[in-house]
Amino acid sequence: MTDVAPFVELRGITKRFPGVTAARDVSISFLPGKVHALLGENGAGKSTLVKIISGIYTPDDGQILFDGHPVRLHAPVDAERRGVAVVHQHRTLVNDLSVAENLFLGHLGPEWSIFRRDSLIRRAHDLLAAVGLDLDPATLVKDLSPAAQQLLEIARAIGREARFIIFDEPTTSLTPPECEVLFGQIRRLQARGIAIVYISHDLEHALALSDEITVLRDGAVVAHEVGLKDVQIVVRHMIGRTLDAGYPRTRTASNDEVLHVSSLRSSRLNGVDVRVCRGEIICIAGLVGSGRTELLRAVFGLDNFDSGKITLKGAEFTPQSPRHSIRAGMGFVSEDRKQQGLVLDLGVAANLILGNERPLVRFGILSAERERKVVQQAIKSLRIKTSSAKTKVGTLSGGNQQKVVLGRWLSRSTELLLIDEPTVGIDVGARAEFYRLLDDYAAAGGACLIVSSDLTEVLGLADRVVVMRDGASVAEIGKTDMNRENLLRAMTAVAA
Ligand SMILES: Nc1ncnc2c1ncn2[C@@H]1O[C@H](COP(=O)(O)OP(=O)(O)OP(=O)(O)O)[C@@H](O)[C@H]1O
Ligand SMILES: [Mg+2]
């Protein structure tokens, strides 16, 4: 290791925000041709370091060296010029521009002319193919699924001819086959001598992919290991103790149907049948584009459907709007929390009780007290890392923002929870806590319908799995037949 000089080196980097020290005297070296995983709980300071290396934040103290020379990065363009490309945790694409325009945004110069158009389109096709995306470069970004958008961000970073690529939670909306494509690309980049930083809460993936890891806790480096493959050791570094990766099961499923969807059809759905009873956690598995999200949206009243029937607690239910569905007892946590779930300018408390004002106000004078209790409990049980209940949600780390959305629904009286990708970007400790809360919720008679691309999570969590393919439910798998192979086979329709 000593014979290779680091491409980027952090020395004693410190960054403070009001009430938090997000980076504390951090020193890390990033070597060419190596994958370096940055790990740590939600709010540990990973994205803060990414933003410092990419010129978005200026550190309060310490030095950044490129090729052994100290540099000052005044803006992202300074980092880009030195060969840094970032796939940020939150998407940074421009919705109203095309795929091709997003790929080359800010990197076009005068050649974005009619003469170069063809060659750029060809280049766009190559980049898209590299991440396994088969789409027309003229498509507008807003028409792409979250997964396709994520792959596009990755394609854009690859296309920057960078020497240093940072992936901050790149797999959040990718299914296993898409992850494989990404990992193949990362290996190729690595073989070309590019230095890679990989940030993920999927510790198995992070360890499989990385040559070395650095673990952060409360902004400080608590461990640096080379060639470590043991997840439990990383967990101990991250949270100071080990976890049994358990999925508690105190609930007992009933036959009391809360939701019954039959033959649902719409422009994106092709015949879906699902039922969820009180006390049950049902997972929907399927590839990206299989219609999983569309199903949840239709049930919640965000999209229309053409035919079929939704029955809620025994009575036919025609969802009119999310408000109507919420009143009927549903909660919905969407995949794109940043866009649909949160008001970034409001505080943590306000976001937790958002849309919940009425039931709390009903108790008149007690409401403020009750509200404070609900908020404190959510912050505590989901371990939301925030300096106060008033802190603006927009300044929380990515994972902590997601916890706020989950906390909002778990802390109120819903009978049916629809959750799209519940734990992507959420750290191991909070994940275990969340599984426990979900089991409590079901044990108390709640019904859950969960879309997840994480098959380990599906296998651990589900009482039954409904597999979707091409907009239709194609298989229902009970506990006895539930294993990875059966799920993947049904998802991909590979002949048995
Ligand atoms: N712009 C900001 N203003 C105020 N506080 C901030 C800001 N950015 C980050 N923080 C705080 O710094 C700490 C570290 O946040 P950071 O986003 O680096 O965490 P992270 O390790 O990336 O977490 P996650 O896994 O949830 O993405 C958090 O407490 C966060 O609230
Ligand atoms: Mg982050």
Side-chain angles (χ1 to χ4, degrees):
M1 273 198 44
T2 41
D3 48 351
V4 193
F7 174 50
V8 173
E9 197 182 338
L10 303 180
R11 279 195 198 157
I13 293 286
T14 294
K15 176 73 185 173
R16 296 180 202 92
F17 294 111
V20 234
T21 304
R24 244 176 247 271
D25 194 17
V26 172
S27 299
I28 311 181
S29 300
F30 300 101
L31 304 174
K34 299 285 179 198
V35 179
H36 195 135
L38 271 187
L39 307 172
E41 281 184 287
N42 295 128
K46 304 177 297 294
S47 296
T48 300
L49 290 183
V50 170
K51 288 175 188 161
I52 287 171
I53 298 170
S54 56
I56 296 172
Y57 291 160
T58 317
D60 296 318
D61 218 337
Q63 274 189 325
I64 309 174
L65 293 88
F66 278 74
D67 290 319
H69 304 292
V71 296
R72 278 181 173 280
L73 306 172
H74 298 285
V77 57
D78 293 338
E80 255 178 51
R81 254 203 305 263
R82 294 191 158 82
V84 176
V86 187
V87 177
H88 281 288
Q89 188 169 13
H90 295 299
R91 285 176 206 118
T92 57
L93 300 169
V94 184
N95 274 331
D96 287 312
L97 293 183
S98 71
V99 165
E101 284 164 320
N102 269 281
L103 277 173
F104 305 120
L105 203 68
H107 291 252
L108 281 177
E111 70 269 39
W112 184 241
S113 66
I114 198 84
F115 305 107
R116 292 290 186 88
R117 231 190 140 87
D118 285 350
S119 75
L120 280 172
I121 295 290
R122 249 198 318 279
R123 172 118 178 90
H125 272 296
D126 289 346
L127 286 172
L128 294 173
V131 294
L133 267 181
D134 176 22
L135 49 89
D136 179 355
T139 316
L140 292 183
V141 161
K142 65 175 173 217
D143 294 328
L144 300 182
S145 70
Q149 293 187 10
Q150 196 164 36
L151 290 168
L152 180 58
E153 293 253 7
I154 293 163
R156 183 171 62 170
I158 292 173
R160 293 277 146 100
E161 309 277 336
R163 293 177 60 201
F164 187 60
I165 305 188
I166 304 175
F167 295 92
D168 193 351
E169 292 285 355
T171 60
T172 47
S173 44
L174 305 186
T175 49
E178 291 160 329
C179 287
E180 290 307 320
V181 173
L182 171 64
F183 298 156
Q185 269 309 318
I186 290 181
R187 293 252 177 260
R188 265 190 290 278
L189 294 168
Q190 180 182 13
R192 276 169 35 201
I194 290 167
I196 290 160
V197 176
Y198 190 82
I199 297 177
S200 175
H201 288 288
D202 187 327
L203 301 178
E204 308 260 346
H205 276 160
L207 289 189
L209 208 56
S210 62
D211 301 293
E212 53 186 311
I213 65 162
T214 293
V215 182
L216 296 165
R217 204 194 299 169
D218 290 329
V221 172
V222 293
H224 172 236
E225 307 236 21
V226 178
L228 181 74
K229 297 294 161 198
D230 184 337
V231 172
Q232 283 305 325
I233 293 178
V234 178
V235 171
R236 194 153 359 107
H237 286 318
M238 279 173 69
I239 63 177
R241 63 195 164 91
T242 46
L243 279 175
D244 12 286
Y247 292 87
R249 205 172 275 269
T250 61
R251 62 187 181 272
T252 36
S254 69
N255 272 326
D256 184 3
E257 267 180 15
V258 177
L259 176 73
H260 192 138
V261 174
S262 54
S263 310
L264 207 66
R265 285 170 200 281
S266 71
S267 55
R268 314 285 279 284
L269 297 174
N270 230 337
V272 181
D273 296 273
V274 182
R275 55 192 186 86
V276 192
C277 298
R278 277 185 211 289
E280 265 193 328
I281 299 178
I282 305 302
C283 291
I284 311 266
L287 298 180
V288 165
S290 59
R292 299 171 302 167
T293 297
E294 286 73 16
L295 168 66
L296 296 191
R297 290 179 59 90
V299 171
F300 193 61
L302 282 162
D303 294 337
N304 294 327
F305 57 90
D306 305 325
S307 65
K309 197 163 123 181
I310 297 175
T311 312
L312 198 64
K313 293 176 274 173
E316 180 159 358
F317 178 74
T318 313
Q320 269 135 32
S321 65
R323 180 179 292 261
H324 176 222
S325 304
I326 291 169
R327 243 185 269 133
M330 281 187 216
F332 178 56
V333 180
S334 69
E335 182 179 17
D336 201 342
R337 326 235 208 264
K338 195 158 186 191
Q339 288 206 344
Q340 296 172 38
L342 292 170
V343 184
L344 298 179
D345 269 340
L346 287 182
V348 172
N351 272 283
L352 277 168
I353 57 164
L354 202 73
N356 201 16
E357 290 87 351
R358 245 176 325 123
L360 292 173
V361 167
R362 222 174 357 156
F363 296 90
I365 200 91
L366 279 178
S367 67
E369 181 57 28
R370 237 176 84 84
E371 187 180 300
R372 198 160 43 235
K373 257 205 197 117
V374 166
V375 167
Q376 283 313 328
Q377 203 177 356
I379 291 178
K380 187 161 162 266
S381 61
L382 283 168
R383 298 203 277 167
I384 298 173
K385 186 175 168 153
T386 174
S387 35
S388 87
K390 291 205 185 80
T391 305
K392 281 186 182 172
V393 159
T395 71
L396 297 190
S397 76
N400 283 298
Q401 294 187 7
Q402 294 187 39
K403 292 183 195 174
V404 172
V405 188
L406 292 172
R408 179 191 296 166
W409 294 111
L410 285 169
S411 61
R412 67 184 58 186
S413 51
T414 48
E415 290 168 276
L416 173 65
L417 265 184
L418 312 169
I419 311 184
D420 205 349
E421 304 289 5
T423 58
V424 285
I426 294 206
D427 67 54
V428 277
R431 225 180 263 203
E433 207 54 30
F434 171 71
Y435 296 144
R436 198 180 56 71
L437 289 172
L438 216 54
D439 178 58
D440 285 350
Y441 172 81
C448 303
L449 186 59
I450 292 178
V451 166
S452 173
S453 298
D454 179 343
L455 292 188
T456 309
E457 175 169 279
V458 169
L459 293 170
L461 212 49
D463 297 313
R464 274 183 292 123
V465 180
V466 174
V467 178
M468 289 186 66
R469 204 167 62 226
D470 301 328
S473 51
V474 294
E476 183 175 300
I477 302 178
K479 209 70 208 154
T480 42
D481 298 320
M482 216 184 274
N483 58 50
R484 195 170 286 267
E485 293 66 41
N486 280 349
L487 286 182
L488 276 172
R489 194 178 302 138
M491 284 161 66
T492 53
V494 175

